[in-house]
């Protein structure tokens, strides 16, 4: 029986994780659930899964939650608050596996704490890895933690990689990774019309049902840019070894191209419970609840090269990884601020890459050898991006 902590339980990945865990009560016990402020969903999750701990980061919501449970059958749950409490629950002795599913930079410190504590880290929170890079990977190596990717593409690559890829022999065997992307909702929209897209259009992804931020990232293809950086770190590849491939049907979730000409692909319906169940059962397999793929329903599979004029965010991600150091952190922070402003209707969809690039050009790159430097550059980028947005509005 493994103890499970879900960071970001109330989000799209968190909900899918609980769905998978509930199918295997003899294998997983839910120890801790965390939310930022969505206490209604959290309360329902507590009634269904009765964890020992919850964290509600927002303090006033946490007090409200404490009152909400006080006369219920889950009144014995320990309720913690504040961002530091995330690290406490992610490193509890009773916890074996941590699902890192907080969105954005807010997930960095608890995900890193879980890695340092040697937990099995199920990593959905790609922003944490993009920001902390080698620091995160070194923490995993030093503690002996298992790091299992949840992003469907990285999970697919993990499944197609040689079992011993961590030993470094992959360098001789793997030529490149083919990282698939659906192309999002605006793959075929005339480029001149993209300035007018609304947040509602941007979050309506054709194949996946996801949180708002990652849905906008998919529409701009910043998501693929972050994933390219994530793939370099997870699989020890150079950016030149990652080929982004637009595959609108989202049936193949990525491929590994070997030196002998073999290409291995992982396929399945677009349902995040598949990579989640893969990581939770690893190295075994168990039922995810997802519909089996009916290969006869897959009438065709198309593959295209991405158009960097349509998707400048992808170009910016390559620019950031080539600059190295703190630049991926700046890219990520500027993107978070720009996406938030777009969702609040303060900037246009096409302003997002412009804001990010101005921010990247304004901040000098530094060596990202300590967490303090990374967090400092994250803050600098947020301040600069907010100023760029304010200047555009004036
Ligand atoms: N959704 C997918 O299919 C998918 C696929 C691959 C990778 N991912 C990655 O998985 C992560 C989560 O994505 P999602 O789609 O599940 O996001 P989401 O639906 O927006 O959920 C985000 C979760 O993070 C919590 N949260 C937000 N801000 C927080 C803060 N400041 N402190 C603590 N907790 C905070 C939210 O709590 P409240 O509900 O209380 O706000 C919620 O539980 C992202 O990094 C995303 O890139 C997602």
């Amino acid at each position: 029986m493994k103890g499970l902590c879900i960071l970001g339980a109330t989000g799209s990945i968190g909900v899918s994780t609980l769905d998978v865990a509930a199918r295997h009560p003899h294998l997983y016990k839910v120890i801790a659930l965390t939310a930022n402020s969505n206490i209604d969903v959290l309360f329902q999750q507590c009634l269904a899964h009765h964890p020992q701990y919850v964290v509600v980061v927002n303090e006033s919501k946490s007090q409200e939650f404490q009152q909400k449970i006080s006369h219920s059958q889950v009144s014995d749950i320990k309720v913690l608050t504040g961002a530091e409490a995330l690290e406490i629950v992610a490193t509890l002795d009773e916890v074996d596996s941590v699902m890192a599913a907080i969105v954005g930079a807010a997930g960095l410190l608890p995900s890193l704490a879980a890695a340092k504590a040697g937990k099995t880290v199920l990593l959905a929170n790609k922003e944490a890895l993009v920001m902390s890079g080698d620091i995160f990977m070194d923490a995993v190596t030093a503690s002996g933690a298992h790091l299992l990717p949840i992003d469907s593409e990285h999970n697919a690559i993990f499944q197609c990689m040689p079992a011993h890829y961590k030993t470094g022999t992959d360098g001789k065997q793997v030529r490149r990774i083919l990282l698939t992307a659906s192309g999002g909702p605006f793959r075929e929209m005339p480029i001149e019309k993209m300035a007018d897209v609304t947040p509602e259009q941007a979050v309506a992804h054709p194949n996946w049902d996801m949180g708002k931020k990652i849905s906008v990232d998919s529409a701009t293809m910043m998501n693929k840019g972050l994933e390219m950086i994530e793939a370099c770190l997870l699989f020890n590849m150079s950016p030149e070894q990652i080929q982004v491939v637009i595959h609108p049907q989202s049936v193949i979730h990525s491929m590994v191209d070997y030196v002998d000409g073999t290409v291995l692909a992982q396929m399945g319906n677009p349902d995040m419970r598949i990579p989640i169940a893969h990581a939770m059962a690893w190295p075994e397999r168990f039922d995810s609840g997802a519909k089996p793929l009916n290969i006869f329903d897959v009438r065709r599979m198309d593959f295209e090269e991405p158009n960097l004029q349509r998707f400048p965010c992808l170009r910016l991600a390559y620019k950031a990884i080539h600059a190295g150091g703190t630049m991926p952190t700046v890219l990520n922070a500027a993107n978070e601020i720009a996406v938030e402003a777009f969702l609040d209707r303060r900037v246009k969809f096409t302003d997002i890459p412009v804001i990010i690039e101005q921010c990247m050009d304004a901040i000098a790159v530094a060596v990202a050898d300590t967490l303090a430097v990374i967090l400092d550059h994250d803050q600098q980028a947020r301040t600069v991006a907010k100023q760029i947005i304010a200047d555009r509005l004036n």
Side-chain angles (χ1 to χ4, degrees):
M1 185 73 126
K2 289 182 186 167
L4 179 64
C5 164
I6 305 181
L7 302 171
T10 48
S12 155
I13 293 288
V15 167
S16 295
T17 305
L18 282 171
D19 181 284
V20 174
R23 292 168 195 275
H24 305 282
H26 54 298
L27 293 177
Y28 274 97
K29 178 169 171 43
V30 178
I31 304 290
L33 298 176
T34 84
N36 187 33
S37 58
N38 192 346
I39 57 171
D40 293 336
V41 169
L42 188 65
F43 182 60
Q44 292 307 321
Q45 292 180 336
C46 286
L47 293 178
H49 300 276
H50 207 144
Q52 292 168 28
Y53 298 84
V54 302
V55 177
V56 182
V57 173
N58 180 298
E59 214 167 303
S60 62
K61 286 287 176 186
S62 172
Q63 284 167 8
E64 223 181 288
F65 185 78
Q66 182 74 69
Q67 279 172 1
K68 207 174 166 82
I69 63 165
S70 59
H71 300 295
S72 74
Q73 67 267 40
V74 292
S75 57
D76 57 332
I77 294 176
K78 293 188 189 68
V79 181
L80 309 178
T81 189
E84 309 73 38
L86 298 169
E87 292 175 60
I88 295 174
V89 294
T91 55
L92 287 166
D93 284 346
E94 309 90 298
V95 167
D96 303 290
S97 297
V98 176
M99 169 57 78
I102 290 175
V103 61
L108 171 59
L109 294 180
S111 308
L112 189 58
K116 283 185 179 163
K119 305 296 184 193
T120 295
V121 182
L122 315 176
L123 187 73
N125 179 209
K126 67 196 86 184
E127 297 92 341
L129 187 59
V130 166
M131 290 173 73
S132 58
D134 291 339
I135 291 182
F136 199 98
M137 296 309 290
D138 290 349
V140 168
T141 308
S143 70
H146 287 297
L147 179 59
L148 297 166
I150 294 299
D151 243 323
S152 59
E153 296 79 359
H154 304 74
N155 184 271
I157 297 161
F158 182 86
Q159 295 196 48
C160 296
M161 276 283 182
H164 53 282
Y165 80 90
K166 277 199 173 154
T167 64
T169 52
D170 60 298
K172 297 193 195 100
Q173 295 188 22
V174 174
R175 186 166 19 214
R176 59 183 183 152
I177 285 172
L178 301 168
L179 184 68
T180 58
S182 69
F186 311 131
R187 186 175 57 89
E188 291 180 317
M189 178 181 269
I191 293 182
E192 61 281 6
K193 291 207 166 151
M194 287 174 75
D196 301 324
V197 306
T198 62
E200 290 73 19
Q201 288 172 302
V203 300
H205 194 279
N207 305 343
W208 297 94
D209 183 10
M210 309 182 284
K212 279 186 184 168
K213 191 256 178 188
I214 184 178
S215 297
V216 176
D217 285 352
S218 297
T220 61
M221 279 193 82
M222 177 57 89
N223 185 46
K224 214 46 55 180
L226 297 175
E227 288 181 7
M228 177 274 295
I229 299 173
E230 183 185 9
C232 290
L233 289 159
L234 284 174
F235 304 109
N236 198 18
M237 294 274 155
S238 68
E240 291 69 33
Q241 285 178 288
I242 315 281
Q243 170 69 58
V244 175
V245 180
I246 294 193
H247 164 48
Q249 291 85 4
S250 298
V251 173
I252 292 181
H253 300 300
S254 279
M255 296 170 254
V256 176
D257 181 1
Y258 284 83
V259 289
D260 61 4
T262 298
V263 178
L264 294 185
Q266 185 265 357
M267 305 200 293
N269 280 317
D271 184 330
M272 284 307 294
R273 289 177 301 176
I274 297 175
I276 291 169
H278 170 265
M280 286 175 72
W282 183 84
E284 310 291 331
R285 300 254 176 192
F286 62 35
D287 174 39
S288 66
K291 239 173 61 185
L293 179 69
N294 180 348
I295 202 76
F296 300 110
D297 285 345
V298 185
R299 293 180 188 279
R300 53 185 283 184
M301 289 200 267
D302 297 299
F303 305 98
E304 300 163 16
E305 268 193 65
N307 173 346
L308 295 187
Q309 203 196 337
R310 176 183 293 280
F311 297 116
C313 284
L314 192 51
R315 174 179 61 76
L316 295 178
Y318 278 99
K319 182 171 163 175
I321 196 166
H322 282 124
T326 49
M327 203 48 93
T329 296
V330 170
L331 171 91
N332 178 65
N335 180 55
E336 286 189 28
I337 297 298
V339 169
E340 195 179 279
F342 167 68
L343 287 170
D344 290 347
R345 297 174 209 276
R346 285 182 285 126
V347 302
K348 288 182 188 294
F349 183 75
T350 44
D351 290 337
I352 295 173
V354 178
I355 294 161
I356 298 167
E357 190 154 30
Q358 284 180 5
C359 190
M360 287 169 71
D361 290 345
I363 299 175
V365 66
V367 180
D369 55 355
T370 66
L371 206 50
V373 171
I374 290 167
L375 295 176
D376 175 60
H377 276 248
D378 176 71
Q379 279 313 312
Q380 274 189 51
R382 284 168 198 273
T383 308
V384 171
K386 283 178 190 166
Q387 189 56 52
I388 293 168
I389 292 167
D391 292 347
R392 291 177 80 83
L393 292 172
N394 287 330

